[in-house]
């Protein structure tokens, strides 16, 4: 069994797969290192042979996690490292080591699956897009706030905006103008994300005509997928890239 980890600043996304290229056994999202260890300990018959991870945490935080996993399960984690070239893709950042590693492996995965030009749009805490040319040259990308950041900023800095997650979920049933605060905020933020996606499609079409593939990934991909019906929605695109960056054999 292989443990795969996508370690963000706030959460750790994890899954266990049977083997290289094998089926997903289980997975989830946790808040911290100990919660991950507890979740893994609760899996009957768990026999980890390998662990690989991509992390945007600092070095000390990542080291503490890998040491906890080694102590609990006897596995040494292989971590994605910054690189100028990976699997036929050339990093397009002027300082290649400053490109977020989760973005890096996701765009490598997109190019691998598309076998050609692609734009990878990740809709999570932040929304990012990355463009990869047909020859594997990463042309760069864009970053803007995602739904959690936009919503959180409005709640923090606007005194009268207060509502719960259930109300937010109900507000997404329509794109009509909101008739209360939660509808106005949630639908307004959603429209901003949808506009971002449409702009990325326009830029890709200007660059490549019709010869490109669009990938949507991240927790809020479902909120925008109807404006990009041609897109491939792949929730675990980072894990696809992680397997490319850190093969077990």
């Amino acid at each position: 069994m292989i443990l795969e980890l996508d370690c963000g600043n706030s959460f750790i996304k994890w899954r266990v797969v049977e083997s290289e290229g094998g089926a997903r056994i289980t997975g989830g999202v946790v808040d911290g290192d100990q919660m991950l260890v507890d979740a893994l300990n609760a899996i009957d018959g768990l026999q980890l042979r390998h662990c690989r991870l991509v992390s945007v945490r600092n070095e000390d935080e990542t080291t503490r996690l890998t040491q906890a996993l080694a102590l609990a399960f006897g596995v040494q984690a292989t971590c994605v490292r910054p690189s100028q070239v990976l699997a036929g893709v050339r990093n397009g950042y002027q300082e290649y080591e400053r490109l977020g590693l989760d973005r890096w492996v996701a765009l490598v995965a997109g190019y691998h699956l598309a076998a050609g030009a692609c734009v990878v749009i990740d809709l999570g805490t932040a929304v990012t897009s990355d463009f990869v040319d047909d020859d594997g040259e990463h042309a760069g990308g864009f970053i803007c706030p995602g739904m959690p950041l936009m919503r959180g900023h409005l709640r923090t800095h606007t005194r009268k905006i207060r509502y719960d997650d259930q109300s937010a979920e109900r507000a997404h049933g329509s794109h009509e103008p909101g008739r209360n605060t939660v509808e106005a905020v949630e639908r307004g933020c959603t429209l901003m994300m949808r506009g971002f996606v449409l702009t990325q499609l326009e830029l890709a079409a200007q660059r490549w005509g019709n010869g490109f593939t669009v990938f949507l990934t991240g927790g809020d991909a479902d909120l925008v997928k109807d404006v990009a019906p041609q897109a491939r929605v792949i929730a675990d695109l980072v894990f696809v890239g992680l397997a490319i960056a850190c093969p077990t054999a």
Side-chain angles (χ1 to χ4, degrees), residues 37-157:
V37 171
D38 292 343
L40 293 170
N41 275 324
I43 301 172
D44 289 336
L46 182 70
Q47 295 182 337
L48 295 179
R49 296 185 179 276
H50 303 282
C51 174
R52 55 191 172 209
L53 67 85
V54 56
S55 176
V56 298
R57 298 173 165 192
N58 64 44
E59 194 71 27
D60 288 342
E61 291 173 319
T62 302
T63 297
R64 283 197 296 270
L65 173 58
T66 58
Q67 289 176 343
L69 293 170
L71 180 63
F73 305 104
V75 292
Q76 298 297 320
T78 302
C79 304
V80 177
R81 299 297 182 189
S83 58
Q84 290 182 298
V85 179
L86 175 62
V89 180
R90 179 171 293 278
N91 192 315
Y93 260 29
Q94 294 172 343
E95 298 177 74
Y96 72 90
E97 65 277 7
R98 296 186 66 85
L99 176 64
L101 291 174
D102 51 350
R103 285 176 63 194
W104 176 227
V105 297
L107 71 91
V108 168
Y111 182 75
H112 172 78
L113 294 174
C118 65
V119 55
V120 175
I121 305 174
D122 189 338
L123 299 115
T125 302
V127 175
T128 65
S129 69
D130 284 285
F131 292 72
V132 187
D133 289 328
D134 193 62
D135 61 358
E137 189 72 24
H138 173 222
F142 301 92
I143 305 173
C144 71
M147 284 291 289
L149 289 177
M150 288 190 285
R151 181 190 295 127
H153 189 80
L154 285 169
R155 284 176 171 174
T156 301
H157 296 280

Side-chain angles (χ1 to χ4, degrees), residues 152-234:
H153 189 80
L154 285 169
R155 284 176 171 174
T156 301
H157 296 280
T158 308
R159 184 169 297 175
K160 292 186 178 181
I161 295 181
R162 297 289 185 273
Y163 55 86
D164 57 31
D165 292 341
Q166 290 75 22
S167 299
E169 188 67 27
R170 288 194 297 271
H172 293 156
S174 168
H175 294 131
E176 290 295 313
R179 295 175 66 85
N180 54 52
T181 299
V182 60
E183 290 178 355
V185 170
E186 290 297 315
R187 294 173 188 177
C189 292
T190 299
L191 289 176
M192 291 186 71
M193 286 205 312
R194 292 161 69 87
F196 177 87
V197 171
L198 287 171
T199 300
Q200 305 313 297
L201 299 182
E202 292 174 1
L203 291 172
Q206 292 171 13
R207 190 177 188 88
W208 300 308
N210 294 321
F212 66 93
T213 303
V214 182
F215 294 94
L216 297 179
T217 188
D220 287 323
D222 285 346
L223 295 178
V224 303
K225 65 183 182 182
D226 61 310
V227 301
Q230 74 274 45
R232 297 175 63 178
V233 181
I234 303 179

Side-chain angles (χ1 to χ4, degrees), residues 1-2 4 16-25 50 52 248:
M1 297 178 182
I2 303 172
E4 299 180 326
V16 176
V17 295
E18 288 181 352
S19 59
E20 195 70 79
R24 176 184 184 273
I25 298 173
H50 303 282
R52 55 191 172 209
T248 59

